[in-house]
Amino acid sequence: MQSNLLLLSTALVAAGASAHIGLETPSAQAGAMYRATFQVGHGCSASATRQIAVTVPSGVLDARPMPKAGWSLEIQREKLAEPVERQGRTISERVARITWTARTPADALPSDQYDEFVLMAALPAQAGALAWPVSQACDSGRADWIEVPKPGQSPHGVKNPAPLLEVLPAAGNDHHHH
């Protein structure tokens, strides 16, 4: 069973690496704070990117976006089914989606340029693969990077792969070293 999970995790990470929008760091430790850097390498065909929306995986209870000059931020929250205790406080809602939108056409990301969209996230305590679906809206058209390969499916078999993060088992008590 464990080898099947390892193969699935490896396949999911490989899928993320081939995505048109990918994560700069494809793995992190369970329970850690993670800097998710979404790399946008092109627009929709020749059209500029005017909006990036990231769906935060349900196991992530805290996510905070990095502001971007020339782009507005929208943070959508959702109520948790059951409140949870985290670092001495009760959490009853979580960030479900973060959207960056270019303020003007001049602020949009031209298709022939590269940029990054960043957020900090508190990862869940359990290991496994986390998909981060991303919608990319352009001046003309859109791309939804939302597909996750099924167990045993080749990562190259998905047309629009979601960026994937492999959450690794926590490294005991020494995970607070800087």
Side-chain angles (χ1 to χ4, degrees):
M1 177 76 176
Q2 191 170 9
S3 63
N4 287 343
L5 289 175
L6 180 60
L7 288 172
L8 175 61
S9 294
T10 303
L12 291 174
V13 170
S18 66
H20 292 284
I21 292 183
L23 285 167
E24 180 179 50
T25 307
S27 64
Q29 286 189 341
M33 288 303 294
Y34 171 67
R35 184 179 195 266
T37 302
F38 296 89
Q39 301 172 316
V40 180
H42 61 76
C44 310
S45 298
S47 183
T49 299
R50 61 179 172 73
Q51 186 179 75
I52 294 292
V54 175
T55 300
V56 178
S58 60
V60 174
L61 295 179
D62 188 21
R64 298 169 187 222
M66 180 182 288
K68 196 167 192 45
W71 293 69
S72 65
L73 265 174
E74 179 187 350
I75 301 170
Q76 292 175 292
R77 292 177 169 79
E78 68 182 14
K79 291 272 185 214
L80 296 175
E82 294 288 328
V84 294
E85 291 291 323
R86 181 170 163 80
Q87 298 178 341
R89 60 189 175 101
T90 302
I91 299 173
S92 60
E93 65 177 18
R94 68 174 207 94
V95 172
R97 189 172 175 93
I98 296 170
T99 304
W100 290 266
T101 304
R103 292 184 192 278
T104 69
D107 293 320
L109 175 63
S111 187
D112 63 350
Q113 294 179 22
Y114 164 91
D115 206 348
E116 298 176 339
F117 296 80
V118 180
L119 62 89
M120 287 295 293
L123 296 180
Q126 65 276 12
L130 288 180
W132 297 76
V134 176
S135 293
Q136 177 182 18
C138 299
D139 288 337
S140 177
R142 66 180 295 119
D144 293 312
W145 307 103
I146 59 173
E147 296 178 54
V148 178
K150 293 175 178 57
Q153 180 183 15
S154 165
H156 302 291
V158 270
K159 184 178 176 188
N160 295 325
L164 291 156
L165 174 67
E166 182 180 9
V167 179
L168 305 170
N173 293 333
D174 63 348
H175 67 278
H176 290 289
H177 290 259
H178 296 279

